[in-house]
Amino acid sequence: MPATMKNWAGNVTFSARSVRRPASVGELQDAVAGSDRVRALGTGHSFNRIADTDGTLIALDALPTSIEVDRAARCVRVSGRTTFAALCPTLHRHGLALPNLGSLPHISVAGACATGTHGSGNSNVSIAAGVREVEFVAADGALRTLDRRSPLFDGAVLSLGALGVVTNLTLDLVPEFTVQQDVWEGLPWDALLTHVDEVLGAAYSVSVFTDWGDQCQVWIKRRANDSVPDLSGIGARAADGPRHPLAGFPPEHCTPQLGAPGPWYERLPHFRREFTPSTGDELQSEYFVDAHHAVPALQAVRRLGSRIKPLLHLSELRTTAPEANWLSPSHRRACVAIHFTWKPDQPAVTQALPHLEKALAPFGARPHWGKLFMTSPRRLAASCPRWADFQALMHHFDPAGKFRNELIDQYFAADGPAVGDRSS
């Protein structure tokens, strides 16, 4: 195992004893069946060890890309290793779209679904919630398929890679749509707290960027026929040119602004697919709180400003709609997601996270699975109503623990009840 094989952020050196790069699903099945411990690696955009293993690391970058669009059924069957940058233009050419996208088009579809990647919008769920069927290589090397008719399905998509290696997913689609993006800046922090529902609900997708100082920047992504939000009445001003969320960074790395209309997939992400995403030198954490607790949760974080600001590039606030996925931070509740893009100082960030998590604990905060967090297993299990059901699902598909790793062992007991022992 090369010591230089790292994740995208460079903070994780993978510890696998061997790496396999199967070129077909058949080779992937053989690799899984012949390994005692195995994990899959997509584009490596997770910031923790969720993709790591002490056994065989299966890199998916040699597998073929497959995109099969069904216009009549408004869905697409897509290979899990496919990136959104590759998928979205194809959908657009067929007159169809995904209803929501994350900030980065560079990540794989399977990885995004497995960890709960999301965009923003009061009516928008995570990408995993738009999956109608998932196919994966199980621990015995066999292909398994689950769809929405199965009572196990809501545990099988946002699955942390713990059930198998995803080969294909079928995603819901909507008719393609045009989006216009505008940036407002100088929004006073007190005005944000007073009008938080108005600001975060101002358009189809809204992101608020803040360093927890006195002012915020608001990115508004509206569908072309929707009304134009005006935040001038609460103290913000319209940006007079393109902006990057981080002051001093090139705005040409970001998707077009100033109200210029364009395809959904060229506006919903913050960053263009042809450029390095975000800063390219960072760590990330994110916590989801019930939307009803948005104001006190934000106030609690801001009181930690002197501790976190020296470690921070920027924070982003977004909203997510309730969904059914068992392990989703938005399981059955509308959320405000509080995101932290940290400077690449993991020891310092690790020291700060317990203070941040303690401040957010009264609001039922749940972390993003693919980012840095230190929430205790007991607290996280208590916040997720379907925790034991997911334990049972892992035991059902992987009784010998082939897909387990350090993170899974930490948060889920090695044995669990049989599938069906608990109901929702």
Side-chain angles (χ1 to χ4, degrees):
M1 174 70 189
T4 56
M5 190 168 181
K6 297 178 179 288
N7 66 338
W8 172 77
N11 68 310
V12 173
T13 299
F14 294 106
S15 55
R17 63 176 177 261
S18 64
V19 178
R20 297 283 297 274
R21 282 190 162 83
S24 68
V25 172
E27 290 183 11
L28 172 60
Q29 291 177 272
D30 290 342
V32 171
S35 301
D36 59 341
R37 299 272 280 189
V38 63
R39 294 289 288 185
L41 178 66
T43 53
H45 272 80
S46 290
F47 293 82
N48 57 33
R49 293 193 170 274
I50 194 168
D52 198 16
T53 180
D54 58 4
T56 300
L57 189 65
I58 298 182
L60 304 179
D61 51 4
L63 287 173
T65 295
S66 174
I67 302 172
E68 303 171 17
V69 178
D70 186 333
R71 294 185 66 179
R74 284 192 184 173
C75 66
V76 59
R77 177 178 163 87
V78 58
S79 50
R81 59 91 64 192
T82 304
T83 66
F84 291 95
L87 172 62
C88 292
T90 300
L91 300 181
H92 189 70
R93 287 194 293 271
H94 283 83
L96 296 168
L98 293 167
N100 196 17
L101 289 170
S103 298
L104 307 179
H106 311 75
I107 59 179
S108 69
V109 176
C113 292
T115 57
T117 293
H118 62 99
S120 188
N122 288 355
S123 299
N124 290 326
V125 289
S126 74
I127 295 165
V131 175
R132 61 171 73 174
E133 182 179 274
V134 59
E135 176 192 87
F136 58 94
V137 177
D140 59 0
L143 277 176
R144 307 292 174 87
T145 301
L146 291 174
D147 61 25
R148 287 174 176 157
R149 295 171 294 183
S150 169
L152 308 179
F153 181 73
D154 288 336
V157 180
L158 204 170
S159 63
L160 316 183
L163 306 184
V165 181
V166 171
T167 49
N168 287 283
L169 303 108
T170 301
L171 305 174
D172 293 332
L173 301 176
V174 298
E176 63 88 13
F177 55 100
T178 298
V179 174
Q180 294 171 256
Q181 180 171 232
D182 293 287
V183 174
W184 290 78
E185 50 195 3
L187 177 66
W189 182 262
D190 290 342
L192 172 65
L193 291 181
T194 302
H195 302 277
V196 67
D197 292 338
E198 175 187 340
V199 172
L200 290 174
Y204 185 79
S205 175
V206 175
S207 290
V208 175
F209 292 99
T210 177
D211 64 0
W212 305 97
D214 294 330
Q215 295 184 337
C216 307
Q217 188 184 78
V218 186
W219 288 41
I220 290 179
K221 304 167 191 277
R222 59 184 172 88
R223 294 173 68 116
N225 293 326
D226 292 345
S227 60
V228 181
D230 184 351
L231 303 186
S232 61
I234 56 173
R237 61 184 182 276
D240 58 6
R243 296 290 190 264
H244 191 288
L246 282 164
F249 281 79
E252 58 266 25
H253 289 197
C254 299
T255 49
Q257 302 158 29
L258 298 174
W264 55 281
Y265 68 95
E266 293 182 353
R267 298 296 184 276
L268 291 179
H270 298 325
F271 302 100
R272 298 177 189 257
R273 63 185 184 275
E274 61 268 31
F275 288 104
T276 299
S278 196
T279 74
D281 191 13
E282 64 192 54
L283 302 171
Q284 293 183 12
S285 301
E286 187 171 33
Y287 299 92
F288 296 69
V289 299
D290 191 304
H292 292 105
H293 302 316
V295 169
L298 295 175
Q299 289 173 324
V301 176
R302 196 162 185 242
R303 285 194 289 270
L304 294 176
S306 61
R307 178 179 291 274
I308 65 175
K309 281 183 69 173
L311 308 177
L312 194 67
H313 281 305
L314 201 63
S315 278
E316 180 181 5
L317 314 178
R318 293 179 286 177
T319 58
T320 61
E323 62 179 83
N325 284 300
W326 294 351
L327 294 187
S328 171
S330 298
H331 177 73
R332 304 298 186 195
R333 63 176 192 171
C335 286
V336 171
I338 308 172
H339 182 274
F340 301 85
T341 300
W342 306 106
K343 296 173 184 177
D345 184 349
Q346 186 151 345
V349 171
T350 299
Q351 289 182 357
L353 286 180
H355 300 278
L356 183 58
E357 293 175 354
K358 182 179 180 180
L360 289 174
F363 313 108
R366 301 174 188 164
H368 188 297
W369 285 104
K371 302 180 182 180
L372 295 176
F373 62 92
M374 298 183 68
T375 310
S376 72
R378 177 175 295 184
R379 178 175 290 173
L380 194 48
S383 73
C384 295
R386 304 300 298 269
W387 196 263
D389 293 317
F390 187 73
Q391 287 179 299
L393 192 63
M394 286 192 297
H395 187 72
H396 175 72
F397 281 109
D398 184 22
K402 179 174 289 192
F403 295 106
R404 286 187 163 272
N405 63 7
E406 180 181 333
L407 187 144
I408 298 298
D409 287 342
Q410 179 181 359
Y411 283 94
F412 297 92
D415 55 355
V419 171
D421 281 1
R422 284 194 62 202
S423 64
S424 58

